[in-house]
Short mmCIF file of all heavy atoms in Angstrom, two decimals:
data_model
loop_
_atom_site.label_atom_id
_atom_site.label_comp_id
_atom_site.label_asym_id
_atom_site.label_seq_id
_atom_site.Cartn_x
_atom_site.Cartn_y
_atom_site.Cartn_z
N ILE A 44 7.67 11.80 -6.65
CA ILE A 44 8.65 12.85 -6.94
C ILE A 44 8.55 13.25 -8.40
O ILE A 44 8.58 14.42 -8.75
CB ILE A 44 10.08 12.38 -6.61
CG1 ILE A 44 10.19 12.07 -5.11
CG2 ILE A 44 11.10 13.45 -7.00
CD1 ILE A 44 11.53 11.53 -4.69
N GLY A 45 8.39 12.25 -9.28
CA GLY A 45 8.23 12.52 -10.70
C GLY A 45 6.88 13.14 -11.01
O GLY A 45 5.95 13.12 -10.20
N GLU A 46 6.75 13.66 -12.20
CA GLU A 46 5.55 14.41 -12.58
C GLU A 46 4.29 13.56 -12.61
O GLU A 46 3.23 13.99 -12.16
CB GLU A 46 5.77 15.05 -13.95
CG GLU A 46 4.59 15.89 -14.44
CD GLU A 46 4.86 16.53 -15.78
OE1 GLU A 46 6.00 16.42 -16.28
OE2 GLU A 46 3.94 17.15 -16.33
N ASN A 47 4.35 12.35 -13.14
CA ASN A 47 3.15 11.53 -13.25
C ASN A 47 3.46 10.03 -13.16
O ASN A 47 2.85 9.22 -13.85
CB ASN A 47 2.42 11.82 -14.56
CG ASN A 47 3.32 11.69 -15.77
OD1 ASN A 47 4.39 11.11 -15.70
ND2 ASN A 47 2.89 12.24 -16.89
N TYR A 48 4.40 9.68 -12.32
CA TYR A 48 4.72 8.26 -12.14
C TYR A 48 5.18 8.04 -10.70
O TYR A 48 5.53 8.98 -9.98
CB TYR A 48 5.81 7.80 -13.11
CG TYR A 48 7.13 8.50 -12.93
CD1 TYR A 48 8.09 8.01 -12.05
CD2 TYR A 48 7.43 9.65 -13.64
CE1 TYR A 48 9.30 8.66 -11.87
CE2 TYR A 48 8.64 10.30 -13.47
CZ TYR A 48 9.57 9.80 -12.59
OH TYR A 48 10.76 10.45 -12.41
N MET A 49 5.17 6.78 -10.29
CA MET A 49 5.62 6.40 -8.96
C MET A 49 7.07 5.94 -9.03
O MET A 49 7.46 5.24 -9.97
CB MET A 49 4.72 5.31 -8.39
CG MET A 49 3.27 5.74 -8.28
SD MET A 49 2.16 4.42 -7.77
CE MET A 49 2.71 4.17 -6.08
N GLU A 50 7.86 6.33 -8.06
CA GLU A 50 9.27 5.95 -8.05
C GLU A 50 9.40 4.42 -8.07
O GLU A 50 8.71 3.71 -7.34
CB GLU A 50 9.96 6.51 -6.81
CG GLU A 50 10.03 8.04 -6.78
CD GLU A 50 10.86 8.60 -7.91
OE1 GLU A 50 12.02 8.19 -8.07
OE2 GLU A 50 10.34 9.46 -8.65
N LYS A 51 10.31 3.92 -8.91
CA LYS A 51 10.36 2.48 -9.16
C LYS A 51 10.86 1.67 -7.97
O LYS A 51 10.58 0.47 -7.87
CB LYS A 51 11.22 2.18 -10.39
CG LYS A 51 12.66 2.60 -10.29
CD LYS A 51 13.40 2.24 -11.57
CE LYS A 51 14.88 2.62 -11.53
NZ LYS A 51 15.06 4.09 -11.52
N ASP A 52 11.60 2.29 -7.04
CA ASP A 52 12.10 1.53 -5.89
C ASP A 52 11.10 1.46 -4.75
O ASP A 52 11.33 0.77 -3.75
CB ASP A 52 13.42 2.11 -5.39
CG ASP A 52 13.27 3.53 -4.85
OD1 ASP A 52 12.23 4.17 -5.10
OD2 ASP A 52 14.22 4.01 -4.19
N TYR A 53 9.96 2.14 -4.87
CA TYR A 53 8.98 2.18 -3.79
C TYR A 53 8.41 0.78 -3.52
O TYR A 53 8.34 0.33 -2.38
CB TYR A 53 7.86 3.16 -4.15
CG TYR A 53 6.82 3.36 -3.08
CD1 TYR A 53 7.17 3.91 -1.85
CD2 TYR A 53 5.49 3.02 -3.28
CE1 TYR A 53 6.22 4.12 -0.86
CE2 TYR A 53 4.54 3.22 -2.30
CZ TYR A 53 4.91 3.77 -1.09
OH TYR A 53 3.96 3.96 -0.11
N LEU A 54 8.02 0.08 -4.57
CA LEU A 54 7.44 -1.26 -4.42
C LEU A 54 8.45 -2.21 -3.80
O LEU A 54 8.11 -2.99 -2.89
CB LEU A 54 6.98 -1.78 -5.78
CG LEU A 54 6.40 -3.19 -5.78
CD1 LEU A 54 5.11 -3.26 -4.98
CD2 LEU A 54 6.15 -3.66 -7.23
N LEU A 55 9.69 -2.18 -4.28
CA LEU A 55 10.72 -3.06 -3.73
C LEU A 55 10.94 -2.81 -2.24
O LEU A 55 11.02 -3.75 -1.44
CB LEU A 55 12.04 -2.86 -4.49
CG LEU A 55 13.25 -3.61 -3.93
CD1 LEU A 55 13.03 -5.11 -3.99
CD2 LEU A 55 14.51 -3.23 -4.68
N ASP A 56 11.01 -1.55 -1.85
CA ASP A 56 11.24 -1.24 -0.44
C ASP A 56 10.05 -1.65 0.42
O ASP A 56 10.21 -2.15 1.54
CB ASP A 56 11.53 0.25 -0.27
CG ASP A 56 12.94 0.61 -0.69
OD1 ASP A 56 13.68 -0.29 -1.13
OD2 ASP A 56 13.31 1.80 -0.60
N LEU A 57 8.83 -1.44 -0.08
CA LEU A 57 7.64 -1.89 0.65
C LEU A 57 7.69 -3.40 0.88
O LEU A 57 7.49 -3.88 2.01
CB LEU A 57 6.38 -1.54 -0.13
CG LEU A 57 5.81 -0.13 -0.04
CD1 LEU A 57 4.61 0.00 -0.98
CD2 LEU A 57 5.39 0.21 1.38
N MET A 58 7.95 -4.13 -0.17
CA MET A 58 7.94 -5.59 -0.06
C MET A 58 9.10 -6.11 0.80
O MET A 58 8.96 -7.09 1.52
CB MET A 58 7.98 -6.22 -1.45
CG MET A 58 6.70 -6.04 -2.23
SD MET A 58 6.60 -7.11 -3.68
CE MET A 58 4.81 -7.23 -3.90
N THR A 59 10.24 -5.42 0.72
CA THR A 59 11.39 -5.82 1.52
C THR A 59 11.12 -5.63 3.00
O THR A 59 11.35 -6.53 3.82
CB THR A 59 12.64 -5.03 1.11
OG1 THR A 59 12.95 -5.29 -0.26
CG2 THR A 59 13.84 -5.41 1.96
N ALA A 60 10.64 -4.45 3.38
CA ALA A 60 10.36 -4.18 4.79
C ALA A 60 9.26 -5.10 5.32
O ALA A 60 9.33 -5.57 6.47
CB ALA A 60 9.96 -2.72 4.97
#
Side-chain angles (χ1 to χ4, degrees):
I44 298 177
E46 181 178 354
N47 54 16
Y48 63 88
M49 300 174 68
E50 294 297 306
K51 62 180 181 292
D52 64 346
Y53 184 63
L54 178 65
L55 174 62
D56 283 1
L57 279 176
M58 289 194 156
T59 298

